[in-house]
């Protein structure tokens, strides 16, 4: 399997991880999907475009090219569940709304899935780990922003309408508490937007595993409601009139994250 990820090295101690914008499928996955899954509705659509200001900030970026239907990069390799409520696993078998993802008897084989772990999941996490190590070696610390998005209404996963900005810090374990305070302050000043800290989305495997504040690696997950920047139904069009103001808030959040690091570590 080739072209599994896109990586760009930056010049500041921030890495933006995007594990779910990919739309590539393996032949086995493509052949087995039910008709309702063919549009790949559970993708984090347009996230690389939304965050394309990262280059101006000097941040490193890492994005997956394969769909989460192949393998979910924000789940641990042993597939231990992260949430007590409804969720999807390392190898998703259902859509977000709870319907089966595959036609009966057409899920990829164990051998196929082992290949996805070795050739998609592992390279992504190796790159993530190596870049965080490089940033820490150069700056003395590293900041990780795990960028996600999701439809604003999915009754199977959460009640009602999801807040616009869902900040996850694994209940405070993945970063210094002052970071969460600063990010919430930015959101509170953003007129017309709602936000929550450690609500339905507290951070997946990437935030939980790599966020080690005691070792000067601080991680935050942002689950962004897709109605803030795009159409939530196919063909999932990016809407600049929505995305522009949302990008401004995202940029303020990331600038605040970087400013905290400079103040805390002196560089």
């Amino acid at each position: 399997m080739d072209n599994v990820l896109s990586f760009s090295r930056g010049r500041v101690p921030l890495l933006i991880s995007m594990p779910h914008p990919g739309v590539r499928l393996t032949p086995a996955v493509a052949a087995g999907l039910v008709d309702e899954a063919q549009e790949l509705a559970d993708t984090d659509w347009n996230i690389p475009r939304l965050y394309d200001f990262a280059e101006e900030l000097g941040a490193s970026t890492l994005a997956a090219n394969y769909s989460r239907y192949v393998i979910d990069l924000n789940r641990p390799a042993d597939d231990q569940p992260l949430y007590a409520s409804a969720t999807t696993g390392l190898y998703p078998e259902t859509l977000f709304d709870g319907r089966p993802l595959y036609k009966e008897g057409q899920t990829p084989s164990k051998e196929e899935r082992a290949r996805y772990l070795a050739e998609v999941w592992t390279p992504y996490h190796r790159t993530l780990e190596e870049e965080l190590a490089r940033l820490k070696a150069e700056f003395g610390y590293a900041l990780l922003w795990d960028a996600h998005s999701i439809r604003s209404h999915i009754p199977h996963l959460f009640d009602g309408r999801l807040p616009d900005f869902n900040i996850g810090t694994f209940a405070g374990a993945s970063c210094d508490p002052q970071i969460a305070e600063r990010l919430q302050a930015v959101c509170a000043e953003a007129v017309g937007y709602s936000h929550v800290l450690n609500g339905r989305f507290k951070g997946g495997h990437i935030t939980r595993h790599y966020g080690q504040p005691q070792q000067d690696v601080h991680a935050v997950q942002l689950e962004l409601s897709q109605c803030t920047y795009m159409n939530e139904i196919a063909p999932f069009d990016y809407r600049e009139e929505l995305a522009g103001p949302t990008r401004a808030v995202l940029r303020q959040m990331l600038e605040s994250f970087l400013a905290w690091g400079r103040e805390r570590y002196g560089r």
Side-chain angles (χ1 to χ4, degrees):
M1 298 171 71
D2 58 358
N3 194 26
V4 298
L5 57 85
S6 299
F7 173 67
S8 176
R9 179 169 292 174
R11 62 181 186 278
V12 299
L14 171 64
L15 171 61
I16 301 174
S17 161
M18 296 172 271
H20 294 149
V23 294
R24 297 190 71 183
L25 299 174
T26 64
V29 171
L33 292 179
V34 297
D35 291 343
E36 296 85 353
Q38 296 292 336
E39 63 184 21
L40 309 182
D42 298 335
T43 301
D44 288 9
W45 292 101
N46 304 300
I47 282 290
R49 180 176 179 181
L50 190 69
Y51 280 89
D52 66 8
F53 60 86
E55 183 177 0
E56 296 177 15
L57 290 181
S60 300
T61 57
L62 173 62
N65 294 334
Y66 273 86
S67 170
R68 68 188 305 157
Y69 291 169
V70 174
I71 190 168
D72 192 331
L73 302 177
N74 202 26
R75 297 294 183 268
D78 61 7
D79 203 16
Q80 289 298 305
L82 297 178
Y83 292 97
S85 54
T87 187
T88 54
L90 180 67
Y91 305 106
E93 302 240 350
T94 63
L95 295 162
F96 280 176
D97 61 14
R99 292 178 296 172
L101 184 61
Y102 290 100
K103 303 167 191 172
E104 187 174 354
Q106 294 195 41
T107 58
S109 68
K110 289 183 178 180
E111 292 76 16
E112 278 286 312
R113 287 179 165 177
R115 189 164 67 93
Y116 305 160
L117 182 65
E119 299 183 18
V120 180
W121 191 98
T122 297
Y124 191 92
H125 283 269
R126 182 188 304 119
T127 304
L128 201 163
E129 185 173 353
E130 289 175 351
E131 180 61 5
L132 290 176
R134 184 192 72 83
L135 294 176
K136 186 177 176 183
E138 180 173 346
F139 297 97
Y141 68 104
L143 307 176
L144 173 62
W145 185 271
D146 206 40
H148 297 259
S149 73
I150 194 169
R151 298 192 302 278
S152 57
H153 290 87
I154 305 180
H156 184 65
L157 297 184
F158 49 81
D159 296 329
R161 184 191 184 282
L162 193 69
D164 297 320
F165 293 90
N166 299 267
I167 305 166
T169 65
F170 192 28
S174 69
C175 68
D176 187 285
Q178 289 186 2
I179 294 171
E181 292 175 9
R182 291 192 178 206
L183 296 175
Q184 288 190 95
V186 171
C187 291
E189 292 293 322
V191 177
Y193 293 98
S194 58
H195 72 279
V196 68
L197 174 65
N198 293 314
R200 170 60 179 83
F201 298 97
K202 299 176 175 62
H205 172 67
I206 290 172
T207 305
R208 301 180 190 201
H209 179 73
Y210 294 101
Q212 302 290 334
Q214 69 278 9
Q215 297 178 26
D216 301 307
V217 179
H218 302 268
V220 174
Q221 175 178 296
L222 182 68
E223 190 79 58
L224 183 65
S225 181
Q226 289 180 341
C227 66
T228 63
Y229 72 96
M230 58 170 276
N231 290 332
E232 295 188 338
I233 59 174
F236 309 109
D237 295 322
Y238 186 88
R239 293 178 57 185
E240 186 58 50
E241 77 278 12
L242 297 175
T246 300
R247 279 162 55 91
V249 180
L250 290 173
R251 184 163 188 151
Q252 283 184 282
M253 294 176 79
L254 290 169
E255 287 174 342
S256 180
F257 198 12
L258 283 165
W260 176 87
R262 289 192 298 269
E263 294 168 18
R264 170 67 176 80
Y265 294 97
R267 57 183 307 186

